[in-house]
Amino acid sequence: MSKNVSCCEESEDLMEKLLEEETGCTCGSFKASDHSKIENPKKPKTKIYSSLLKTLEEKSKKLGIISIGYAKIPEDIFNNDDLLEYPNAIVFTCPIGMDIVDEIPSKIAKERNENLYERFGKISYELSDILRKEGFASQVAHPIEGLVDLSKLGQEAGLGYIGKNGLLISPELGPRLKVSAILTTIENLPYSQKNSYEWIKNYCKRCNKCIKKCPEDALIEKEDKIAKADLIDEKCIGCIQGCTYCIEACPFFEKGYDWVKEKQTKLEAKLS
Protein backbone atom coordinates (compact mmCIF):
# COMPACT_ATOMS: atom_id res chain seq x y z
CA MET A 1 0.00 0.00 0.00
CA SER A 2 1.28 3.45 -0.86
CA LYS A 3 2.48 5.43 2.16
CA ASN A 4 0.67 8.58 0.90
CA VAL A 5 -2.76 6.88 0.60
CA SER A 6 -4.70 5.96 3.69
CA CYS A 7 -6.63 2.73 4.17
CA CYS A 8 -9.89 4.71 4.20
CA GLU A 9 -9.04 6.50 0.93
CA GLU A 10 -8.26 3.20 -0.82
CA SER A 11 -11.46 1.68 0.52
CA GLU A 12 -13.45 4.67 -0.80
CA ASP A 13 -11.79 4.30 -4.21
CA LEU A 14 -12.87 0.66 -4.25
CA MET A 15 -16.46 1.61 -3.52
CA GLU A 16 -16.40 4.36 -6.18
CA LYS A 17 -15.29 1.81 -8.73
CA LEU A 18 -18.18 -0.43 -7.72
CA LEU A 19 -20.61 2.47 -8.13
CA GLU A 20 -19.50 2.84 -11.73
CA GLU A 21 -20.17 -0.82 -12.56
CA GLU A 22 -23.58 -1.46 -14.11
CA THR A 23 -23.07 -4.78 -15.89
CA GLY A 24 -23.81 -7.54 -13.40
CA CYS A 25 -22.58 -8.85 -10.08
CA THR A 26 -19.12 -7.60 -9.12
CA CYS A 27 -18.71 -9.55 -5.86
CA GLY A 28 -15.27 -11.11 -5.86
CA SER A 29 -14.17 -9.26 -9.00
CA PHE A 30 -11.81 -6.74 -7.40
CA LYS A 31 -8.08 -7.30 -7.25
CA ALA A 32 -6.83 -8.16 -3.77
CA SER A 33 -4.81 -5.40 -2.11
CA ASP A 34 -3.46 -4.70 1.38
CA HIS A 35 -5.06 -1.89 3.42
CA SER A 36 -3.30 -2.77 6.68
CA LYS A 37 -1.97 -0.10 9.02
CA ILE A 38 0.67 -2.41 10.52
CA GLU A 39 3.38 -4.18 8.52
CA ASN A 40 3.69 -7.95 8.65
CA PRO A 41 6.47 -9.10 11.02
CA LYS A 42 9.68 -10.27 9.35
CA LYS A 43 9.84 -13.37 11.52
CA PRO A 44 6.19 -14.21 12.21
CA LYS A 45 5.03 -16.44 15.03
CA THR A 46 3.18 -19.67 14.25
CA LYS A 47 1.62 -20.56 17.63
CA ILE A 48 -1.06 -18.57 19.44
CA TYR A 49 -2.07 -18.74 23.08
CA SER A 50 -5.71 -19.58 23.73
CA SER A 51 -6.06 -16.40 25.82
CA LEU A 52 -5.05 -14.20 22.86
CA LEU A 53 -7.39 -16.06 20.54
CA LYS A 54 -10.20 -15.54 23.03
CA THR A 55 -9.39 -11.82 23.16
CA LEU A 56 -9.57 -11.67 19.35
CA GLU A 57 -12.95 -13.44 19.38
CA GLU A 58 -14.31 -11.08 22.04
CA LYS A 59 -13.08 -8.05 20.06
CA SER A 60 -14.73 -9.49 16.94
CA LYS A 61 -18.09 -9.79 18.65
CA LYS A 62 -17.89 -6.19 19.89
CA LEU A 63 -17.28 -5.06 16.31
CA GLY A 64 -20.42 -6.82 15.10
CA ILE A 65 -19.12 -10.20 13.99
CA ILE A 66 -21.76 -12.93 14.36
CA SER A 67 -19.71 -16.12 14.08
CA ILE A 68 -16.05 -17.12 13.89
CA GLY A 69 -14.54 -20.33 12.53
CA TYR A 70 -11.14 -21.75 11.65
CA ALA A 71 -9.98 -23.74 8.66
CA LYS A 72 -7.03 -25.04 6.71
CA ILE A 73 -7.55 -23.60 3.25
CA PRO A 74 -8.34 -26.41 0.77
CA GLU A 75 -6.79 -26.05 -2.67
CA ASP A 76 -10.12 -26.20 -4.50
CA ILE A 77 -11.17 -22.77 -3.23
CA PHE A 78 -8.04 -20.93 -4.38
CA ASN A 79 -9.07 -18.28 -6.90
CA ASN A 80 -5.44 -17.29 -7.42
CA ASP A 81 -2.77 -19.54 -5.92
CA ASP A 82 -0.03 -16.96 -6.48
CA LEU A 83 -1.73 -14.35 -4.25
CA LEU A 84 -2.40 -16.61 -1.25
CA GLU A 85 0.36 -16.21 1.29
CA TYR A 86 -0.76 -18.40 4.21
CA PRO A 87 -2.64 -21.73 4.45
CA ASN A 88 -4.58 -21.10 7.68
CA ALA A 89 -7.75 -19.04 7.96
CA ILE A 90 -9.83 -17.30 10.61
CA VAL A 91 -13.28 -16.85 9.07
CA PHE A 92 -15.89 -14.25 10.09
CA THR A 93 -19.54 -13.67 9.26
CA CYS A 94 -21.31 -10.33 9.44
CA PRO A 95 -25.08 -9.75 9.14
CA ILE A 96 -26.69 -8.11 6.13
CA GLY A 97 -28.85 -5.44 7.75
CA MET A 98 -32.62 -5.55 7.49
CA ASP A 99 -32.42 -2.02 6.09
CA ILE A 100 -30.89 -3.64 2.99
CA VAL A 101 -33.22 -6.64 2.87
CA ASP A 102 -36.36 -4.54 3.34
CA GLU A 103 -35.37 -2.11 0.56
CA ILE A 104 -36.37 -3.01 -3.01
CA PRO A 105 -33.51 -3.25 -5.55
CA SER A 106 -32.53 0.36 -6.07
CA LYS A 107 -29.76 2.91 -5.75
CA ILE A 108 -30.54 3.17 -2.03
CA ALA A 109 -30.19 -0.59 -1.49
CA LYS A 110 -27.02 -0.59 -3.57
CA GLU A 111 -25.42 2.16 -1.49
CA ARG A 112 -26.35 0.42 1.77
CA ASN A 113 -24.87 -2.82 0.48
CA GLU A 114 -21.65 -1.07 -0.52
CA ASN A 115 -21.45 0.63 2.88
CA LEU A 116 -21.72 -2.78 4.52
CA TYR A 117 -18.88 -4.12 2.38
CA GLU A 118 -16.77 -1.14 3.39
CA ARG A 119 -17.52 -1.50 7.12
CA PHE A 120 -16.91 -5.24 7.10
CA GLY A 121 -13.65 -4.76 5.23
CA LYS A 122 -12.43 -2.23 7.80
CA ILE A 123 -13.36 -4.59 10.66
CA SER A 124 -11.41 -7.38 8.96
CA TYR A 125 -8.31 -5.20 8.67
CA GLU A 126 -8.64 -4.01 12.27
CA LEU A 127 -8.66 -7.62 13.48
CA SER A 128 -5.79 -8.52 11.15
CA ASP A 129 -3.70 -5.66 12.53
CA ILE A 130 -4.25 -7.00 16.06
CA LEU A 131 -2.61 -10.25 14.97
CA ARG A 132 0.25 -8.43 13.24
CA LYS A 133 0.86 -6.35 16.35
CA GLU A 134 1.19 -9.59 18.33
CA GLY A 135 3.79 -10.96 15.92
CA PHE A 136 1.68 -13.05 13.53
CA ALA A 137 1.68 -12.56 9.76
CA SER A 138 -1.73 -12.09 8.15
CA GLN A 139 -3.49 -11.44 4.87
CA VAL A 140 -7.09 -10.22 4.67
CA ALA A 141 -9.54 -11.85 2.28
CA HIS A 142 -11.82 -8.81 1.86
CA PRO A 143 -15.52 -9.66 1.41
CA ILE A 144 -15.68 -7.91 -1.97
CA GLU A 145 -12.39 -9.17 -3.38
CA GLY A 146 -11.84 -12.49 -5.13
CA LEU A 147 -8.86 -13.87 -3.24
CA VAL A 148 -10.69 -17.05 -2.18
CA ASP A 149 -14.22 -18.42 -2.40
CA LEU A 150 -15.41 -17.11 0.96
CA SER A 151 -18.66 -19.09 1.04
CA LYS A 152 -16.71 -22.33 0.58
CA LEU A 153 -14.20 -21.22 3.18
CA GLY A 154 -17.02 -20.49 5.63
CA GLN A 155 -18.36 -23.97 4.97
CA GLU A 156 -14.90 -25.45 5.51
CA ALA A 157 -14.71 -23.60 8.84
CA GLY A 158 -17.99 -25.18 9.96
CA LEU A 159 -19.96 -21.92 10.04
CA GLY A 160 -22.75 -23.20 7.82
CA TYR A 161 -23.36 -24.81 4.45
CA ILE A 162 -23.72 -23.46 0.92
CA GLY A 163 -27.31 -23.35 -0.30
CA LYS A 164 -28.80 -23.46 -3.78
CA ASN A 165 -28.34 -19.70 -4.19
CA GLY A 166 -24.59 -20.13 -3.66
CA LEU A 167 -24.67 -18.30 -0.33
CA LEU A 168 -23.45 -19.64 2.98
CA ILE A 169 -26.45 -20.60 5.14
CA SER A 170 -25.80 -20.28 8.87
CA PRO A 171 -27.83 -21.27 11.94
CA GLU A 172 -27.74 -17.70 13.22
CA LEU A 173 -28.90 -15.81 10.12
CA GLY A 174 -29.64 -18.26 7.35
CA PRO A 175 -28.23 -16.68 4.15
CA ARG A 176 -28.48 -13.09 5.47
CA LEU A 177 -24.73 -12.64 5.93
CA LYS A 178 -21.44 -11.78 4.34
CA VAL A 179 -18.14 -13.59 4.87
CA SER A 180 -14.56 -12.41 5.22
CA ALA A 181 -11.37 -14.10 6.40
CA ILE A 182 -7.89 -13.51 7.72
CA LEU A 183 -5.25 -15.84 6.30
CA THR A 184 -2.42 -16.32 8.76
CA THR A 185 0.75 -18.11 9.81
CA ILE A 186 -0.97 -19.41 12.97
CA GLU A 187 -0.81 -23.21 12.82
CA ASN A 188 -2.57 -24.21 16.05
CA LEU A 189 -6.01 -22.78 15.40
CA PRO A 190 -9.00 -24.84 16.64
CA TYR A 191 -9.90 -26.05 13.16
CA SER A 192 -13.38 -27.36 12.48
CA GLN A 193 -13.25 -31.16 12.35
CA LYS A 194 -16.81 -31.73 11.18
CA ASN A 195 -19.51 -29.68 9.51
CA SER A 196 -22.80 -30.14 11.36
CA TYR A 197 -24.82 -28.43 8.62
CA GLU A 198 -24.31 -30.79 5.68
CA TRP A 199 -27.99 -31.75 5.87
CA ILE A 200 -28.81 -28.30 4.44
CA LYS A 201 -27.89 -29.47 0.93
CA ASN A 202 -30.59 -32.16 1.09
CA TYR A 203 -33.23 -29.53 1.82
CA CYS A 204 -31.93 -27.20 -0.88
CA LYS A 205 -32.11 -29.94 -3.52
CA ARG A 206 -35.92 -29.90 -3.26
CA CYS A 207 -36.61 -26.26 -2.44
CA ASN A 208 -35.81 -24.05 -5.47
CA LYS A 209 -37.53 -20.97 -3.98
CA CYS A 210 -34.47 -18.78 -4.59
CA ILE A 211 -34.45 -19.80 -8.26
CA LYS A 212 -38.15 -19.03 -8.70
CA LYS A 213 -37.89 -15.67 -6.90
CA CYS A 214 -34.94 -14.27 -8.86
CA PRO A 215 -36.36 -11.48 -11.09
CA GLU A 216 -33.46 -11.70 -13.54
CA ASP A 217 -33.31 -15.52 -13.94
CA ALA A 218 -29.72 -15.36 -12.72
CA LEU A 219 -30.00 -18.71 -10.91
CA ILE A 220 -30.28 -21.82 -13.08
CA GLU A 221 -30.84 -25.27 -11.65
CA LYS A 222 -28.29 -27.82 -12.80
CA GLU A 223 -29.41 -30.90 -14.69
CA ASP A 224 -28.55 -33.25 -11.82
CA LYS A 225 -30.49 -30.98 -9.41
CA ILE A 226 -27.68 -30.80 -6.88
CA ALA A 227 -27.88 -28.41 -3.96
CA LYS A 228 -26.14 -25.46 -5.64
CA ALA A 229 -27.53 -23.70 -8.71
CA ASP A 230 -25.48 -22.03 -11.44
CA LEU A 231 -25.19 -18.27 -11.03
CA ILE A 232 -25.07 -16.14 -14.19
CA ASP A 233 -23.00 -13.18 -13.02
CA GLU A 234 -24.05 -10.96 -15.93
CA LYS A 235 -27.70 -11.25 -14.90
CA CYS A 236 -27.33 -10.95 -11.12
CA ILE A 237 -28.26 -7.49 -9.78
CA GLY A 238 -27.17 -8.19 -6.21
CA CYS A 239 -24.33 -5.67 -6.41
CA ILE A 240 -25.60 -3.15 -8.94
CA GLN A 241 -29.02 -2.74 -7.31
CA GLY A 242 -28.61 -4.26 -3.84
CA CYS A 243 -31.02 -7.10 -4.68
CA THR A 244 -31.67 -9.62 -1.90
CA TYR A 245 -34.66 -11.53 -3.35
CA CYS A 246 -32.83 -14.88 -3.23
CA ILE A 247 -32.19 -14.27 0.48
CA GLU A 248 -35.76 -13.22 1.22
CA ALA A 249 -37.18 -16.28 -0.58
CA CYS A 250 -34.99 -18.70 1.37
CA PRO A 251 -36.91 -20.60 4.08
CA PHE A 252 -33.81 -20.38 6.29
CA PHE A 253 -34.42 -16.62 6.32
CA GLU A 254 -38.21 -16.55 6.09
CA LYS A 255 -38.98 -19.35 8.59
CA GLY A 256 -35.69 -19.67 10.45
CA TYR A 257 -33.03 -22.37 10.76
CA ASP A 258 -34.79 -24.36 13.51
CA TRP A 259 -38.07 -24.50 11.58
CA VAL A 260 -36.35 -25.80 8.44
CA LYS A 261 -34.29 -28.34 10.35
CA GLU A 262 -37.37 -29.73 12.07
CA LYS A 263 -39.18 -30.00 8.73
CA GLN A 264 -36.22 -31.77 7.11
CA THR A 265 -35.83 -34.16 10.07
CA LYS A 266 -39.51 -35.18 9.83
CA LEU A 267 -39.21 -35.69 6.07
CA GLU A 268 -36.12 -37.87 6.39
CA ALA A 269 -37.81 -39.92 9.12
CA LYS A 270 -40.81 -40.48 6.83
CA LEU A 271 -38.59 -41.54 3.92
CA SER A 272 -36.42 -43.91 5.96
Side-chain angles (χ1 to χ4, degrees):
M1 182 176 67
S2 169
K3 297 294 182 183
N4 326 344
V5 183
S6 71
C7 166
C8 292
E9 287 172 336
E10 289 203 0
S11 182
E12 287 169 1
D13 288 344
L14 185 68
M15 290 302 118
E16 285 176 7
K17 182 178 179 181
L18 180 57
L19 277 166
E20 294 171 358
E21 291 287 342
E22 297 292 344
T23 55
C25 183
T26 53
C27 297
S29 64
F30 289 98
K31 184 178 179 182
S33 54
D34 189 358
H35 307 308
S36 303
K37 295 180 179 179
I38 297 176
E39 296 287 336
N40 261 325
K42 292 182 179 179
K43 294 183 178 180
K45 298 177 182 177
T46 59
K47 306 292 182 183
I48 191 169
Y49 291 111
S50 58
S51 57
L52 178 55
L53 195 58
K54 184 178 180 181
T55 298
L56 184 73
E57 291 176 348
E58 290 173 348
K59 176 68 172 178
S60 301
K61 297 290 185 179
K62 289 179 180 178
L63 290 172
I65 298 300
I66 294 297
S67 60
I68 305 166
Y70 306 92
K72 286 276 187 183
I73 305 175
E75 292 184 1
D76 65 346
I77 69 169
F78 288 177
N79 287 338
N80 190 327
D81 296 16
D82 296 333
L83 295 178
L84 285 166
E85 299 179 17
Y86 313 112
N88 316 295
I90 304 173
V91 191
F92 307 94
T93 66
C94 176
I96 297 173
M98 290 304 299
D99 62 327
I100 298 173
V101 176
D102 290 339
E103 185 68 40
I104 63 171
S106 61
K107 183 178 180 180
I108 293 173
K110 174 184 177 180
E111 289 176 351
R112 289 174 180 173
N113 187 52
E114 289 161 359
N115 288 337
L116 174 58
Y117 271 126
E118 185 176 351
R119 291 197 307 272
F120 195 16
K122 287 180 179 179
I123 289 171
S124 302
Y125 275 101
E126 184 174 345
L127 295 171
S128 174
D129 281 341
I130 290 173
L131 291 176
R132 289 187 177 191
K133 189 175 181 180
E134 293 292 337
F136 303 99
S138 64
Q139 179 186 18
V140 170
H142 194 288
I144 204 171
E145 295 174 345
L147 188 64
V148 295
D149 186 323
L150 287 166
S151 290
K152 285 185 179 179
L153 189 55
Q155 180 174 291
E156 190 71 22
L159 297 179
Y161 213 84
I162 296 174
K164 184 153 281 188
N165 53 15
L167 302 175
L168 184 70
I169 294 175
S170 73
E172 297 90 356
L173 294 167
R176 187 174 64 89
L177 54 80
K178 294 191 185 295
V179 187
S180 77
I182 298 172
L183 317 185
T184 178
T185 52
I186 303 171
E187 298 174 347
N188 64 328
L189 295 169
Y191 303 109
S192 174
Q193 300 300 316
K194 182 181 179 182
N195 192 308
S196 305
Y197 312 111
E198 192 170 353
W199 66 269
I200 289 174
K201 68 181 180 182
N202 297 324
Y203 184 87
C204 285
K205 284 179 184 178
R206 300 182 298 103
C207 180
N208 293 325
K209 286 189 175 181
C210 58
I211 292 177
K212 295 174 183 176
K213 187 70 173 179
C214 180
E216 303 297 320
D217 295 324
L219 290 169
I220 306 296
E221 184 169 23
K222 297 181 180 180
E223 290 185 6
D224 54 5
K225 295 185 178 181
I226 62 174
K228 185 180 176 183
D230 281 323
L231 173 66
I232 304 174
D233 289 337
E234 294 78 12
K235 289 188 174 184
C236 178
I237 58 173
C239 287
I240 63 172
Q241 293 188 38
C243 180
T244 59
Y245 284 145
C246 64
I247 293 176
E248 295 173 62
C250 179
F252 285 95
F253 167 76
E254 186 181 23
K255 300 289 187 179
Y257 175 87
D258 292 337
W259 183 92
V260 178
K261 186 175 183 181
E262 182 179 355
K263 184 176 181 179
Q264 181 66 19
T265 300
K266 289 179 178 178
L267 177 62
E268 290 178 356
K270 184 184 291 186
L271 295 175
S272 63

Coordinates of all heavy atoms in Angstrom, one line a residue, residues 40 71 73 78 83-92 128 131-132 136-141 147-148 150 153 181-186 189:
N40 N 3.5 -6.6 8.2 CA 3.7 -8.0 8.7 C 5.1 -8.1 9.3 O 6.1 -7.5 8.8 CB 3.6 -8.9 7.5 CG 2.2 -9.6 7.4 OD1 1.6 -9.9 8.4 ND2 1.8 -9.8 6.2
A71 N -10.1 -22.7 9.7 CA -10.0 -23.7 8.7 C -8.6 -23.7 8.0 O -7.9 -22.7 8.0 CB -11.0 -23.5 7.6
I73 N -7.0 -24.0 4.5 CA -7.6 -23.6 3.3 C -7.4 -24.7 2.2 O -6.2 -25.0 1.8 CB -6.9 -22.3 2.7 CG1 -7.0 -21.2 3.8 CG2 -7.6 -21.9 1.4 CD1 -6.4 -19.9 3.4
F78 N -9.0 -22.0 -4.0 CA -8.0 -20.9 -4.4 C -8.5 -20.3 -5.7 O -8.7 -21.0 -6.7 CB -6.7 -21.5 -4.6 CG -5.9 -22.0 -3.4 CD1 -4.7 -22.6 -3.5 CD2 -6.5 -21.8 -2.1 CE1 -4.0 -23.0 -2.4 CE2 -5.8 -22.2 -1.0 CZ -4.6 -22.8 -1.1
L83 N -1.5 -15.5 -5.2 CA -1.7 -14.4 -4.2 C -1.9 -14.8 -2.8 O -1.9 -14.0 -1.9 CB -3.0 -13.6 -4.7 CG -2.8 -12.8 -6.0 CD1 -4.2 -12.1 -6.4 CD2 -1.7 -11.8 -6.0
L84 N -2.2 -16.1 -2.6 CA -2.4 -16.6 -1.3 C -1.1 -16.8 -0.5 O -0.2 -17.6 -1.0 CB -3.2 -17.9 -1.3 CG -4.7 -17.7 -1.6 CD1 -5.3 -19.1 -2.0 CD2 -5.4 -17.1 -0.5
E85 N -0.9 -16.2 0.6 CA 0.4 -16.2 1.3 C 0.4 -17.2 2.4 O 1.5 -17.7 2.7 CB 0.7 -14.8 1.8 CG 0.8 -13.8 0.7 CD 1.1 -12.4 1.3 OE1 1.5 -12.3 2.5 OE2 0.9 -11.4 0.6
Y86 N -0.7 -17.5 3.0 CA -0.8 -18.4 4.2 C -1.9 -19.4 4.1 O -2.9 -19.1 3.6 CB -0.9 -17.6 5.5 CG 0.0 -16.4 5.5 CD1 -0.5 -15.1 5.4 CD2 1.4 -16.5 5.6 CE1 0.3 -14.0 5.4 CE2 2.2 -15.4 5.5 CZ 1.7 -14.1 5.5 OH 2.5 -13.0 5.4
P87 N -1.7 -20.6 4.6 CA -2.6 -21.7 4.5 C -3.7 -21.9 5.5 O -4.6 -22.7 5.5 CB -1.7 -23.0 4.5 CG -0.6 -22.6 5.4 CD -0.4 -21.1 5.3
N88 N -3.6 -21.0 6.6 CA -4.6 -21.1 7.7 C -5.5 -19.9 7.7 O -5.1 -18.8 7.4 CB -3.8 -21.2 9.0 CG -2.6 -22.1 8.9 OD1 -2.8 -23.3 8.8 ND2 -1.4 -21.6 9.0
A89 N -6.8 -20.1 8.1 CA -7.8 -19.0 8.0 C -8.6 -18.9 9.2 O -9.0 -19.9 9.8 CB -8.7 -19.3 6.8
I90 N -8.8 -17.6 9.6 CA -9.8 -17.3 10.6 C -11.0 -16.7 9.8 O -10.8 -15.7 9.1 CB -9.3 -16.3 11.6 CG1 -8.0 -16.9 12.3 CG2 -10.3 -16.0 12.7 CD1 -7.3 -15.9 13.2
V91 N -12.2 -17.2 9.9 CA -13.3 -16.9 9.1 C -14.3 -16.2 9.9 O -14.7 -16.6 11.0 CB -13.9 -18.1 8.4 CG1 -14.9 -17.6 7.3 CG2 -12.8 -18.9 7.7
F92 N -14.9 -15.1 9.4 CA -15.9 -14.3 10.1 C -17.2 -14.1 9.3 O -17.1 -14.0 8.0 CB -15.3 -12.8 10.4 CG -14.0 -12.8 11.0 CD1 -12.8 -12.8 10.3 CD2 -13.9 -12.9 12.4 CE1 -11.6 -12.7 10.9 CE2 -12.7 -12.9 13.1 CZ -11.5 -12.8 12.3
S128 N -7.1 -8.1 11.7 CA -5.8 -8.5 11.1 C -4.6 -7.8 11.8 O -3.6 -8.4 12.1 CB -5.8 -8.3 9.6 OG -4.5 -8.6 9.1
L131 N -3.5 -9.1 15.1 CA -2.6 -10.3 15.0 C -1.2 -9.8 14.6 O -0.2 -10.3 15.1 CB -3.2 -11.2 13.9 CG -4.5 -11.9 14.3 CD1 -4.9 -12.8 13.1 CD2 -4.2 -12.8 15.6
R132 N -1.1 -8.9 13.7 CA 0.3 -8.4 13.2 C 1.0 -7.8 14.4 O 2.2 -8.0 14.6 CB 0.1 -7.4 12.1 CG -0.3 -8.1 10.8 CD -0.3 -7.1 9.6 NE -0.6 -7.8 8.4 CZ -0.5 -7.2 7.2 NH1 0.0 -6.0 7.1 NH2 -0.8 -7.9 6.1
F136 N 2.1 -12.1 14.5 CA 1.7 -13.0 13.5 C 1.5 -12.4 12.2 O 1.0 -11.2 12.1 CB 0.3 -13.7 14.0 CG 0.4 -14.3 15.3 CD1 -0.1 -13.7 16.4 CD2 0.9 -15.6 15.5 CE1 -0.1 -14.2 17.7 CE2 1.0 -16.2 16.7 CZ 0.5 -15.5 17.8
A137 N 1.9 -13.1 11.1 CA 1.7 -12.6 9.8 C 0.2 -12.8 9.3 O -0.3 -13.8 9.7 CB 2.7 -13.2 8.8
S138 N -0.3 -11.9 8.5 CA -1.7 -12.1 8.2 C -2.0 -11.5 6.8 O -1.2 -10.6 6.3 CB -2.7 -11.4 9.2 OG -2.4 -10.0 9.2
Q139 N -3.0 -11.9 6.2 CA -3.5 -11.4 4.9 C -5.0 -11.4 4.9 O -5.6 -12.5 5.1 CB -3.0 -12.3 3.7 CG -3.4 -11.9 2.3 CD -3.0 -13.0 1.3 OE1 -2.6 -14.1 1.6 NE2 -2.9 -12.5 0.0
V140 N -5.6 -10.3 4.6 CA -7.1 -10.2 4.7 C -7.7 -10.6 3.3 O -7.3 -10.2 2.3 CB -7.5 -8.8 5.0 CG1 -9.0 -8.6 4.8 CG2 -7.2 -8.5 6.5
A141 N -8.7 -11.5 3.4 CA -9.5 -11.8 2.3 C -10.8 -11.0 2.4 O -11.7 -11.3 3.1 CB -9.9 -13.3 2.3
L147 N -10.0 -13.1 -3.6 CA -8.9 -13.9 -3.2 C -9.2 -15.4 -3.1 O -8.5 -16.2 -3.6 CB -8.3 -13.3 -1.9 CG -6.9 -13.9 -1.5 CD1 -5.8 -13.5 -2.5 CD2 -6.5 -13.3 -0.1
V148 N -10.2 -15.7 -2.4 CA -10.7 -17.0 -2.2 C -12.2 -17.1 -2.3 O -12.9 -16.0 -2.2 CB -10.3 -17.6 -0.8 CG1 -8.8 -17.8 -0.7 CG2 -10.8 -16.8 0.3
L150 N -15.1 -17.3 -0.5 CA -15.4 -17.1 1.0 C -16.6 -18.0 1.5 O -16.6 -18.4 2.6 CB -15.7 -15.6 1.3 CG -14.4 -14.8 1.2 CD1 -14.8 -13.3 1.2 CD2 -13.5 -15.0 2.4
L153 N -15.1 -21.3 2.0 CA -14.2 -21.2 3.2 C -15.0 -21.2 4.5 O -14.6 -21.8 5.5 CB -13.3 -20.0 3.1 CG -12.2 -19.9 4.1 CD1 -11.3 -21.1 4.1 CD2 -11.3 -18.6 3.9
A181 N -12.3 -13.2 5.7 CA -11.4 -14.1 6.4 C -10.0 -13.4 6.6 O -9.7 -12.5 5.8 CB -11.2 -15.4 5.6
I182 N -9.3 -13.9 7.5 CA -7.9 -13.5 7.7 C -7.0 -14.8 7.5 O -7.2 -15.7 8.2 CB -7.6 -12.9 9.1 CG1 -8.5 -11.6 9.3 CG2 -6.1 -12.6 9.3 CD1 -8.4 -11.1 10.8
L183 N -6.2 -14.7 6.5 CA -5.2 -15.8 6.3 C -4.0 -15.5 7.1 O -3.5 -14.4 7.2 CB -4.9 -16.0 4.8 CG -6.1 -15.8 3.8 CD1 -5.6 -16.0 2.4 CD2 -7.2 -16.7 4.2
T184 N -3.5 -16.6 7.8 CA -2.4 -16.3 8.8 C -1.4 -17.4 8.9 O -1.6 -18.6 8.4 CB -3.1 -16.1 10.1 OG1 -2.1 -15.9 11.1 CG2 -4.0 -17.3 10.5
T185 N -0.3 -17.1 9.5 CA 0.7 -18.1 9.8 C 0.4 -19.0 11.0 O 1.1 -20.0 11.3 CB 2.1 -17.4 10.1 OG1 1.9 -16.4 11.1 CG2 2.6 -16.7 8.8
I186 N -0.6 -18.7 11.8 CA -1.0 -19.4 13.0 C -1.3 -20.8 12.6 O -2.3 -21.1 11.8 CB -2.1 -18.7 13.7 CG1 -1.8 -17.3 14.1 CG2 -2.4 -19.5 15.0 CD1 -2.9 -16.5 14.6
L189 N -4.6 -23.2 15.3 CA -6.0 -22.8 15.4 C -6.9 -24.0 15.7 O -6.7 -25.1 15.2 CB -6.5 -22.1 14.1 CG -5.7 -20.8 13.8 CD1 -6.0 -20.3 12.4 CD2 -6.1 -19.7 14.8

